[in-house]
Amino acid sequence: AQSVTQPDIHITVSEGASLELRCNYSYGATPYLFWYVQSPGQGLQLLLKYFSGDTLVQGIKGFEAEFKRSQSSFNLRKPSVHWSDAAEYFCAVVEFEGNKLVFGAGTILRVKS
Amino acid sequence: GAVVSQHPSRVICKSGTSVKIECRSLDFQATTMFWYRQFPKQSLMLMATSNEGSKATYEQGVEKDKFLINHASLTLSTLTVTSAHPEDSSFYICSASGGSEAFFGQGTRLTVV
């Protein structure tokens, strides 16, 4: 079965600084990968997704992610963080048997001014 | 993106009563719906997958008689927590998929007192 690892439980960055959230997956073939953001008490909003093609994917709110097959990674990046980006971020991969999403444990992003 | 509406957003119920949560896909036909449970400061745990017109497939450890799922149409799925107990208090999130991407509802905060 597929699994997703987000090694960082919490990350704190200064407003205006760059951000990288790590995500590693285990899957033999090319996976379908997603990044979601969740604000407190809210559902999930899709930031971006990767199915195939260009390995650098652009998403909403200025986020991007790069699929690196050799490292089994799909790290999320943003060049300049805004205070409104403070939230919890989940990386997910589709488990094709059952067509369901498998989520990482999440990374809580704190932004300090 | 597509819109998934989940209702209610918050519910408080007495121990021993049942609670129904609705999940609607507003602008697309959801052939598959997923129900997740999220404990505080934890990731989303898939409870069950339902395909329209079929019985739901429950994940290991999820009591099918306690968490009743109905997916009677391509736009509506319901989760009923029967004989709720305080340990059922949690954040429940649905997602709906009509193809390769799933869209999430806003979540329901259930508190059993």
Side-chain angles (χ1 to χ4, degrees), chain B residues 42-90:
Chain B
Q42 294 189 28
S43 187
L44 287 78
M45 300 301 297
L46 181 65
M47 298 173 66
T49 303
S50 72
N51 293 296
E52 186 265 339
S54 304
K55 288 185 178 179
T57 301
Y58 289 81
E59 296 298 301
Q60 191 172 7
V62 178
E63 298 175 61
K64 63 178 67 175
D65 294 330
K66 180 168 189 60
F67 299 100
L68 300 180
I69 291 172
N70 183 282
H71 190 173
S73 77
L74 286 171
T75 59
L76 173 64
S77 176
T78 60
L79 168 67
T80 302
V81 183
T82 62
S83 187
H85 291 281
E87 57 265 30
D88 298 324
S89 298
S90 191

mmCIF file of all heavy atoms in Angstrom, chain B residues 42-90:
data_model
loop_
_atom_site.group_PDB
_atom_site.id
_atom_site.type_symbol
_atom_site.label_atom_id
_atom_site.label_comp_id
_atom_site.label_asym_id
_atom_site.label_seq_id
_atom_site.Cartn_x
_atom_site.Cartn_y
_atom_site.Cartn_z
ATOM 1 N N GLN B 42 -4.120 15.624 14.280
ATOM 2 C CA GLN B 42 -3.752 14.423 13.536
ATOM 3 C C GLN B 42 -4.224 14.526 12.096
ATOM 4 O O GLN B 42 -4.952 15.429 11.722
ATOM 5 C CB GLN B 42 -4.367 13.188 14.197
ATOM 6 C CG GLN B 42 -3.820 12.897 15.577
ATOM 7 C CD GLN B 42 -4.289 11.551 16.091
ATOM 8 O OE1 GLN B 42 -4.565 10.644 15.317
ATOM 9 N NE2 GLN B 42 -4.385 11.418 17.391
ATOM 10 N N SER B 43 -3.767 13.580 11.309
ATOM 11 C CA SER B 43 -4.129 13.588 9.896
ATOM 12 C C SER B 43 -5.525 13.015 9.698
ATOM 13 O O SER B 43 -6.191 12.618 10.644
ATOM 14 C CB SER B 43 -3.103 12.781 9.108
ATOM 15 O OG SER B 43 -3.346 12.915 7.720
ATOM 16 N N LEU B 44 -5.950 13.003 8.457
ATOM 17 C CA LEU B 44 -7.257 12.464 8.129
ATOM 18 C C LEU B 44 -7.164 10.955 8.014
ATOM 19 O O LEU B 44 -6.278 10.431 7.326
ATOM 20 C CB LEU B 44 -7.751 13.029 6.805
ATOM 21 C CG LEU B 44 -8.218 14.482 6.804
ATOM 22 C CD1 LEU B 44 -7.042 15.425 6.793
ATOM 23 C CD2 LEU B 44 -9.122 14.740 5.612
ATOM 24 N N MET B 45 -8.088 10.284 8.644
ATOM 25 C CA MET B 45 -8.146 8.831 8.565
ATOM 26 C C MET B 45 -9.382 8.449 7.769
ATOM 27 O O MET B 45 -10.495 8.819 8.130
ATOM 28 C CB MET B 45 -8.212 8.226 9.964
ATOM 29 C CG MET B 45 -7.024 8.577 10.844
ATOM 30 S SD MET B 45 -5.445 8.053 10.140
ATOM 31 C CE MET B 45 -5.679 6.285 10.119
ATOM 32 N N LEU B 46 -9.179 7.702 6.699
ATOM 33 C CA LEU B 46 -10.305 7.275 5.882
ATOM 34 C C LEU B 46 -11.151 6.288 6.664
ATOM 35 O O LEU B 46 -10.642 5.312 7.212
ATOM 36 C CB LEU B 46 -9.799 6.648 4.595
ATOM 37 C CG LEU B 46 -10.862 6.177 3.612
ATOM 38 C CD1 LEU B 46 -11.670 7.356 3.079
ATOM 39 C CD2 LEU B 46 -10.222 5.410 2.458
ATOM 40 N N MET B 47 -12.458 6.567 6.689
ATOM 41 C CA MET B 47 -13.376 5.661 7.369
ATOM 42 C C MET B 47 -13.987 4.677 6.374
ATOM 43 O O MET B 47 -14.077 3.483 6.645
ATOM 44 C CB MET B 47 -14.499 6.451 8.038
ATOM 45 C CG MET B 47 -14.038 7.418 9.106
ATOM 46 S SD MET B 47 -15.387 8.436 9.696
ATOM 47 C CE MET B 47 -16.426 7.208 10.485
ATOM 48 N N ALA B 48 -14.456 5.231 5.246
ATOM 49 C CA ALA B 48 -15.160 4.382 4.292
ATOM 50 C C ALA B 48 -15.209 5.054 2.935
ATOM 51 O O ALA B 48 -15.081 6.275 2.818
ATOM 52 C CB ALA B 48 -16.573 4.097 4.783
ATOM 53 N N THR B 49 -15.401 4.225 1.940
ATOM 54 C CA THR B 49 -15.553 4.668 0.556
ATOM 55 C C THR B 49 -16.899 4.190 0.066
ATOM 56 O O THR B 49 -17.249 3.013 0.266
ATOM 57 C CB THR B 49 -14.452 4.065 -0.314
ATOM 58 O OG1 THR B 49 -13.170 4.411 0.205
ATOM 59 C CG2 THR B 49 -14.563 4.567 -1.751
ATOM 60 N N SER B 50 -17.643 5.071 -0.561
ATOM 61 C CA SER B 50 -18.946 4.634 -1.079
ATOM 62 C C SER B 50 -19.074 4.993 -2.546
ATOM 63 O O SER B 50 -18.699 6.079 -2.977
ATOM 64 C CB SER B 50 -20.087 5.263 -0.284
ATOM 65 O OG SER B 50 -20.217 6.641 -0.566
ATOM 66 N N ASN B 51 -19.578 4.049 -3.298
ATOM 67 C CA ASN B 51 -19.898 4.268 -4.703
ATOM 68 C C ASN B 51 -21.406 4.308 -4.846
ATOM 69 O O ASN B 51 -22.112 3.531 -4.202
ATOM 70 C CB ASN B 51 -19.314 3.151 -5.567
ATOM 71 C CG ASN B 51 -17.793 3.200 -5.573
ATOM 72 O OD1 ASN B 51 -17.197 4.157 -6.053
ATOM 73 N ND2 ASN B 51 -17.174 2.183 -5.025
ATOM 74 N N GLU B 52 -21.879 5.201 -5.677
ATOM 75 C CA GLU B 52 -23.307 5.405 -5.832
ATOM 76 C C GLU B 52 -24.016 4.097 -6.132
ATOM 77 O O GLU B 52 -23.627 3.355 -7.040
ATOM 78 C CB GLU B 52 -23.566 6.439 -6.937
ATOM 79 C CG GLU B 52 -25.016 6.833 -7.094
ATOM 80 C CD GLU B 52 -25.708 6.027 -8.172
ATOM 81 O OE1 GLU B 52 -25.017 5.469 -9.041
ATOM 82 O OE2 GLU B 52 -26.940 5.959 -8.150
ATOM 83 N N GLY B 53 -25.037 3.828 -5.333
ATOM 84 C CA GLY B 53 -25.839 2.637 -5.546
ATOM 85 C C GLY B 53 -25.270 1.355 -4.967
ATOM 86 O O GLY B 53 -25.901 0.310 -5.069
ATOM 87 N N SER B 54 -24.091 1.428 -4.358
ATOM 88 C CA SER B 54 -23.465 0.235 -3.779
ATOM 89 C C SER B 54 -23.290 0.400 -2.283
ATOM 90 O O SER B 54 -23.351 1.514 -1.761
ATOM 91 C CB SER B 54 -22.097 -0.019 -4.407
ATOM 92 O OG SER B 54 -22.192 -0.125 -5.804
ATOM 93 N N LYS B 55 -23.037 -0.702 -1.628
ATOM 94 C CA LYS B 55 -22.726 -0.624 -0.204
ATOM 95 C C LYS B 55 -21.351 -0.008 -0.006
ATOM 96 O O LYS B 55 -20.438 -0.214 -0.819
ATOM 97 C CB LYS B 55 -22.754 -2.016 0.423
ATOM 98 C CG LYS B 55 -24.142 -2.614 0.570
ATOM 99 C CD LYS B 55 -24.079 -3.952 1.313
ATOM 100 C CE LYS B 55 -25.472 -4.528 1.498
ATOM 101 N NZ LYS B 55 -25.423 -5.834 2.205
ATOM 102 N N ALA B 56 -21.204 0.696 1.093
ATOM 103 C CA ALA B 56 -19.920 1.326 1.366
ATOM 104 C C ALA B 56 -18.869 0.291 1.754
ATOM 105 O O ALA B 56 -19.192 -0.768 2.301
ATOM 106 C CB ALA B 56 -20.075 2.349 2.492
ATOM 107 N N THR B 57 -17.630 0.605 1.443
ATOM 108 C CA THR B 57 -16.499 -0.229 1.843
ATOM 109 C C THR B 57 -15.825 0.447 3.027
ATOM 110 O O THR B 57 -15.321 1.567 2.901
ATOM 111 C CB THR B 57 -15.490 -0.370 0.690
ATOM 112 O OG1 THR B 57 -16.150 -0.955 -0.430
ATOM 113 C CG2 THR B 57 -14.331 -1.254 1.121
ATOM 114 N N TYR B 58 -15.807 -0.238 4.159
ATOM 115 C CA TYR B 58 -15.285 0.350 5.374
ATOM 116 C C TYR B 58 -13.822 -0.042 5.572
ATOM 117 O O TYR B 58 -13.410 -1.156 5.256
ATOM 118 C CB TYR B 58 -16.110 -0.104 6.577
ATOM 119 C CG TYR B 58 -17.496 0.493 6.619
ATOM 120 C CD1 TYR B 58 -18.531 -0.039 5.857
ATOM 121 C CD2 TYR B 58 -17.762 1.606 7.404
ATOM 122 C CE1 TYR B 58 -19.798 0.527 5.881
ATOM 123 C CE2 TYR B 58 -19.028 2.174 7.450
ATOM 124 C CZ TYR B 58 -20.039 1.637 6.680
ATOM 125 O OH TYR B 58 -21.285 2.202 6.710
ATOM 126 N N GLU B 59 -13.074 0.865 6.134
ATOM 127 C CA GLU B 59 -11.677 0.576 6.476
ATOM 128 C C GLU B 59 -11.645 -0.308 7.721
ATOM 129 O O GLU B 59 -12.593 -0.355 8.519
ATOM 130 C CB GLU B 59 -10.911 1.867 6.708
ATOM 131 C CG GLU B 59 -10.807 2.746 5.471
ATOM 132 C CD GLU B 59 -10.061 2.069 4.337
ATOM 133 O OE1 GLU B 59 -8.878 1.689 4.533
ATOM 134 O OE2 GLU B 59 -10.650 1.915 3.245
ATOM 135 N N GLN B 60 -10.537 -0.969 7.865
ATOM 136 C CA GLN B 60 -10.385 -1.866 9.003
ATOM 137 C C GLN B 60 -10.506 -1.081 10.306
ATOM 138 O O GLN B 60 -9.921 -0.022 10.469
ATOM 139 C CB GLN B 60 -9.009 -2.546 8.932
ATOM 140 C CG GLN B 60 -8.834 -3.691 9.893
ATOM 141 C CD GLN B 60 -7.535 -4.437 9.647
ATOM 142 O OE1 GLN B 60 -6.700 -4.017 8.846
ATOM 143 N NE2 GLN B 60 -7.359 -5.542 10.322
ATOM 144 N N GLY B 61 -11.292 -1.631 11.215
ATOM 145 C CA GLY B 61 -11.454 -0.998 12.519
ATOM 146 C C GLY B 61 -12.624 -0.045 12.609
ATOM 147 O O GLY B 61 -12.923 0.451 13.695
ATOM 148 N N VAL B 62 -13.272 0.244 11.499
ATOM 149 C CA VAL B 62 -14.431 1.143 11.506
ATOM 150 C C VAL B 62 -15.694 0.305 11.596
ATOM 151 O O VAL B 62 -15.913 -0.601 10.781
ATOM 152 C CB VAL B 62 -14.463 2.025 10.245
ATOM 153 C CG1 VAL B 62 -15.703 2.915 10.241
ATOM 154 C CG2 VAL B 62 -13.196 2.860 10.148
ATOM 155 N N GLU B 63 -16.534 0.609 12.588
ATOM 156 C CA GLU B 63 -17.750 -0.185 12.799
ATOM 157 C C GLU B 63 -18.829 0.232 11.796
ATOM 158 O O GLU B 63 -19.368 1.343 11.881
ATOM 159 C CB GLU B 63 -18.264 0.033 14.216
ATOM 160 C CG GLU B 63 -17.309 -0.411 15.307
ATOM 161 C CD GLU B 63 -17.860 -0.046 16.679
ATOM 162 O OE1 GLU B 63 -18.944 -0.545 17.025
ATOM 163 O OE2 GLU B 63 -17.198 0.747 17.390
ATOM 164 N N LYS B 64 -19.177 -0.656 10.905
ATOM 165 C CA LYS B 64 -20.164 -0.324 9.880
ATOM 166 C C LYS B 64 -21.555 -0.119 10.455
ATOM 167 O O LYS B 64 -22.365 0.613 9.907
ATOM 168 C CB LYS B 64 -20.171 -1.384 8.792
ATOM 169 C CG LYS B 64 -20.578 -2.758 9.244
ATOM 170 C CD LYS B 64 -20.606 -3.737 8.073
ATOM 171 C CE LYS B 64 -19.228 -3.996 7.519
ATOM 172 N NZ LYS B 64 -19.233 -5.039 6.448
ATOM 173 N N ASP B 65 -21.845 -0.780 11.574
ATOM 174 C CA ASP B 65 -23.171 -0.617 12.172
ATOM 175 C C ASP B 65 -23.283 0.677 12.957
ATOM 176 O O ASP B 65 -24.391 1.116 13.263
ATOM 177 C CB ASP B 65 -23.479 -1.799 13.086
ATOM 178 C CG ASP B 65 -23.602 -3.094 12.314
ATOM 179 O OD1 ASP B 65 -24.020 -3.036 11.130
ATOM 180 O OD2 ASP B 65 -23.273 -4.154 12.861
ATOM 181 N N LYS B 66 -22.155 1.256 13.292
ATOM 182 C CA LYS B 66 -22.185 2.501 14.046
ATOM 183 C C LYS B 66 -22.139 3.704 13.099
ATOM 184 O O LYS B 66 -22.776 4.717 13.340
ATOM 185 C CB LYS B 66 -20.992 2.569 14.991
ATOM 186 C CG LYS B 66 -20.961 3.852 15.815
ATOM 187 C CD LYS B 66 -19.962 3.751 16.929
ATOM 188 C CE LYS B 66 -20.115 4.941 17.851
ATOM 189 N NZ LYS B 66 -21.459 5.024 18.458
ATOM 190 N N PHE B 67 -21.390 3.566 12.053
ATOM 191 C CA PHE B 67 -21.250 4.647 11.072
ATOM 192 C C PHE B 67 -21.919 4.197 9.774
ATOM 193 O O PHE B 67 -21.312 3.556 8.924
ATOM 194 C CB PHE B 67 -19.777 4.973 10.844
ATOM 195 C CG PHE B 67 -19.053 5.448 12.077
ATOM 196 C CD1 PHE B 67 -18.253 4.573 12.810
ATOM 197 C CD2 PHE B 67 -19.177 6.749 12.497
ATOM 198 C CE1 PHE B 67 -17.592 5.014 13.952
ATOM 199 C CE2 PHE B 67 -18.513 7.205 13.637
ATOM 200 C CZ PHE B 67 -17.725 6.334 14.368
ATOM 201 N N LEU B 68 -23.191 4.570 9.653
ATOM 202 C CA LEU B 68 -23.979 4.149 8.506
ATOM 203 C C LEU B 68 -23.783 5.142 7.364
ATOM 204 O O LEU B 68 -23.968 6.333 7.527
ATOM 205 C CB LEU B 68 -25.458 4.082 8.889
ATOM 206 C CG LEU B 68 -25.826 3.119 10.027
ATOM 207 C CD1 LEU B 68 -27.314 3.168 10.289
ATOM 208 C CD2 LEU B 68 -25.376 1.704 9.702
ATOM 209 N N ILE B 69 -23.431 4.611 6.217
ATOM 210 C CA ILE B 69 -23.205 5.457 5.051
ATOM 211 C C ILE B 69 -24.182 5.084 3.950
ATOM 212 O O ILE B 69 -24.357 3.923 3.618
ATOM 213 C CB ILE B 69 -21.750 5.317 4.563
ATOM 214 C CG1 ILE B 69 -20.807 5.935 5.588
ATOM 215 C CG2 ILE B 69 -21.571 5.980 3.195
ATOM 216 C CD1 ILE B 69 -19.355 5.700 5.306
ATOM 217 N N ASN B 70 -24.802 6.119 3.398
ATOM 218 C CA ASN B 70 -25.735 5.952 2.299
ATOM 219 C C ASN B 70 -25.313 6.844 1.150
ATOM 220 O O ASN B 70 -25.007 8.013 1.347
ATOM 221 C CB ASN B 70 -27.158 6.321 2.763
ATOM 222 C CG ASN B 70 -28.181 6.107 1.671
ATOM 223 O OD1 ASN B 70 -28.301 6.915 0.746
ATOM 224 N ND2 ASN B 70 -28.900 5.013 1.765
ATOM 225 N N HIS B 71 -25.275 6.282 -0.042
ATOM 226 C CA HIS B 71 -24.885 7.050 -1.238
ATOM 227 C C HIS B 71 -25.921 6.749 -2.305
ATOM 228 O O HIS B 71 -25.645 6.071 -3.290
ATOM 229 C CB HIS B 71 -23.480 6.619 -1.668
ATOM 230 C CG HIS B 71 -22.875 7.499 -2.721
ATOM 231 N ND1 HIS B 71 -21.566 7.351 -3.128
ATOM 232 C CD2 HIS B 71 -23.378 8.495 -3.461
ATOM 233 C CE1 HIS B 71 -21.290 8.228 -4.059
ATOM 234 N NE2 HIS B 71 -22.377 8.943 -4.283
ATOM 235 N N ALA B 72 -27.118 7.280 -2.074
ATOM 236 C CA ALA B 72 -28.257 6.901 -2.899
ATOM 237 C C ALA B 72 -28.299 7.609 -4.238
ATOM 238 O O ALA B 72 -28.973 7.152 -5.164
ATOM 239 C CB ALA B 72 -29.551 7.179 -2.138
ATOM 240 N N SER B 73 -27.586 8.736 -4.359
ATOM 241 C CA SER B 73 -27.611 9.447 -5.642
ATOM 242 C C SER B 73 -26.208 9.920 -5.978
ATOM 243 O O SER B 73 -25.300 9.828 -5.141
ATOM 244 C CB SER B 73 -28.556 10.654 -5.570
ATOM 245 O OG SER B 73 -27.946 11.724 -4.880
ATOM 246 N N LEU B 74 -26.024 10.417 -7.174
ATOM 247 C CA LEU B 74 -24.709 10.864 -7.619
ATOM 248 C C LEU B 74 -24.305 12.208 -7.035
ATOM 249 O O LEU B 74 -23.214 12.702 -7.302
ATOM 250 C CB LEU B 74 -24.661 10.931 -9.150
ATOM 251 C CG LEU B 74 -24.595 9.589 -9.857
ATOM 252 C CD1 LEU B 74 -24.775 9.768 -11.355
ATOM 253 C CD2 LEU B 74 -23.273 8.889 -9.580
ATOM 254 N N THR B 75 -25.182 12.806 -6.246
ATOM 255 C CA THR B 75 -24.840 14.102 -5.660
ATOM 256 C C THR B 75 -24.963 14.124 -4.144
ATOM 257 O O THR B 75 -24.712 15.147 -3.514
ATOM 258 C CB THR B 75 -25.726 15.219 -6.240
ATOM 259 O OG1 THR B 75 -27.092 14.903 -5.970
ATOM 260 C CG2 THR B 75 -25.528 15.360 -7.742
ATOM 261 N N LEU B 76 -25.352 13.021 -3.543
ATOM 262 C CA LEU B 76 -25.569 13.052 -2.098
ATOM 263 C C LEU B 76 -25.108 11.764 -1.434
ATOM 264 O O LEU B 76 -25.436 10.659 -1.861
ATOM 265 C CB LEU B 76 -27.065 13.250 -1.800
ATOM 266 C CG LEU B 76 -27.492 13.148 -0.322
ATOM 267 C CD1 LEU B 76 -26.846 14.259 0.494
ATOM 268 C CD2 LEU B 76 -28.999 13.184 -0.200
ATOM 269 N N SER B 77 -24.345 11.947 -0.356
ATOM 270 C CA SER B 77 -23.994 10.837 0.528
ATOM 271 C C SER B 77 -24.231 11.299 1.958
ATOM 272 O O SER B 77 -24.038 12.473 2.280
ATOM 273 C CB SER B 77 -22.529 10.428 0.346
ATOM 274 O OG SER B 77 -22.164 9.417 1.258
ATOM 275 N N THR B 78 -24.662 10.380 2.789
ATOM 276 C CA THR B 78 -24.878 10.727 4.186
ATOM 277 C C THR B 78 -24.123 9.766 5.095
ATOM 278 O O THR B 78 -23.975 8.577 4.781
ATOM 279 C CB THR B 78 -26.367 10.691 4.562
ATOM 280 O OG1 THR B 78 -26.874 9.371 4.346
ATOM 281 C CG2 THR B 78 -27.166 11.686 3.748
ATOM 282 N N LEU B 79 -23.649 10.308 6.198
ATOM 283 C CA LEU B 79 -23.015 9.531 7.256
ATOM 284 C C LEU B 79 -23.857 9.702 8.503
ATOM 285 O O LEU B 79 -24.096 10.834 8.943
ATOM 286 C CB LEU B 79 -21.593 10.031 7.511
ATOM 287 C CG LEU B 79 -20.908 9.512 8.789
ATOM 288 C CD1 LEU B 79 -20.639 8.021 8.703
ATOM 289 C CD2 LEU B 79 -19.593 10.270 9.041
ATOM 290 N N THR B 80 -24.340 8.612 9.049
ATOM 291 C CA THR B 80 -25.112 8.655 10.284
ATOM 292 C C THR B 80 -24.311 8.000 11.396
ATOM 293 O O THR B 80 -23.951 6.821 11.275
ATOM 294 C CB THR B 80 -26.465 7.954 10.124
ATOM 295 O OG1 THR B 80 -27.208 8.577 9.063
ATOM 296 C CG2 THR B 80 -27.274 8.050 11.410
ATOM 297 N N VAL B 81 -24.044 8.764 12.429
ATOM 298 C CA VAL B 81 -23.377 8.230 13.610
ATOM 299 C C VAL B 81 -24.477 7.769 14.549
ATOM 300 O O VAL B 81 -25.250 8.600 15.060
ATOM 301 C CB VAL B 81 -22.486 9.283 14.280
ATOM 302 C CG1 VAL B 81 -21.755 8.676 15.475
ATOM 303 C CG2 VAL B 81 -21.500 9.875 13.279
ATOM 304 N N THR B 82 -24.607 6.477 14.732
ATOM 305 C CA THR B 82 -25.704 5.943 15.528
ATOM 306 C C THR B 82 -25.263 5.754 16.977
ATOM 307 O O THR B 82 -24.099 5.438 17.262
ATOM 308 C CB THR B 82 -26.179 4.594 14.977
ATOM 309 O OG1 THR B 82 -25.095 3.655 15.047
ATOM 310 C CG2 THR B 82 -26.623 4.728 13.529
ATOM 311 N N SER B 83 -26.211 5.977 17.886
ATOM 312 C CA SER B 83 -25.945 5.822 19.309
ATOM 313 C C SER B 83 -24.590 6.460 19.670
ATOM 314 O O SER B 83 -23.671 5.795 20.154
ATOM 315 C CB SER B 83 -25.953 4.342 19.688
ATOM 316 O OG SER B 83 -25.856 4.188 21.089
ATOM 317 N N ALA B 84 -24.528 7.731 19.423
ATOM 318 C CA ALA B 84 -23.252 8.444 19.574
ATOM 319 C C ALA B 84 -22.791 8.463 21.031
ATOM 320 O O ALA B 84 -23.609 8.534 21.961
ATOM 321 C CB ALA B 84 -23.393 9.870 19.052
ATOM 322 N N HIS B 85 -21.500 8.388 21.209
ATOM 323 C CA HIS B 85 -20.877 8.471 22.525
ATOM 324 C C HIS B 85 -19.807 9.550 22.497
ATOM 325 O O HIS B 85 -19.339 9.940 21.421
ATOM 326 C CB HIS B 85 -20.279 7.115 22.914
ATOM 327 C CG HIS B 85 -21.304 6.070 23.181
ATOM 328 N ND1 HIS B 85 -22.006 5.998 24.372
ATOM 329 C CD2 HIS B 85 -21.770 5.072 22.408
ATOM 330 C CE1 HIS B 85 -22.847 4.994 24.320
ATOM 331 N NE2 HIS B 85 -22.736 4.411 23.149
ATOM 332 N N PRO B 86 -19.411 10.029 23.657
ATOM 333 C CA PRO B 86 -18.403 11.109 23.676
ATOM 334 C C PRO B 86 -17.137 10.788 22.877
ATOM 335 O O PRO B 86 -16.548 11.690 22.286
ATOM 336 C CB PRO B 86 -18.109 11.261 25.170
ATOM 337 C CG PRO B 86 -19.392 10.907 25.836
ATOM 338 C CD PRO B 86 -19.957 9.778 25.008
ATOM 339 N N GLU B 87 -16.753 9.528 22.816
ATOM 340 C CA GLU B 87 -15.537 9.188 22.062
ATOM 341 C C GLU B 87 -15.714 9.330 20.553
ATOM 342 O O GLU B 87 -14.739 9.257 19.797
ATOM 343 C CB GLU B 87 -15.060 7.763 22.394
ATOM 344 C CG GLU B 87 -16.068 6.680 22.162
ATOM 345 C CD GLU B 87 -16.850 6.325 23.422
ATOM 346 O OE1 GLU B 87 -17.041 7.227 24.281
ATOM 347 O OE2 GLU B 87 -17.260 5.164 23.534
ATOM 348 N N ASP B 88 -16.977 9.509 20.123
ATOM 349 C CA ASP B 88 -17.233 9.747 18.700
ATOM 350 C C ASP B 88 -17.039 11.215 18.343
ATOM 351 O O ASP B 88 -17.077 11.574 17.150
ATOM 352 C CB ASP B 88 -18.656 9.328 18.320
ATOM 353 C CG ASP B 88 -18.893 7.847 18.541
ATOM 354 O OD1 ASP B 88 -17.955 7.050 18.311
ATOM 355 O OD2 ASP B 88 -20.011 7.482 18.966
ATOM 356 N N SER B 89 -16.858 12.047 19.347
ATOM 357 C CA SER B 89 -16.621 13.466 19.081
ATOM 358 C C SER B 89 -15.369 13.606 18.232
ATOM 359 O O SER B 89 -14.303 13.088 18.573
ATOM 360 C CB SER B 89 -16.455 14.222 20.397
ATOM 361 O OG SER B 89 -17.618 14.142 21.191
ATOM 362 N N SER B 90 -15.509 14.318 17.127
ATOM 363 C CA SER B 90 -14.391 14.419 16.196
ATOM 364 C C SER B 90 -14.779 15.382 15.079
ATOM 365 O O SER B 90 -15.870 15.945 15.064
ATOM 366 C CB SER B 90 -14.074 13.041 15.616
ATOM 367 O OG SER B 90 -12.853 13.061 14.903
#
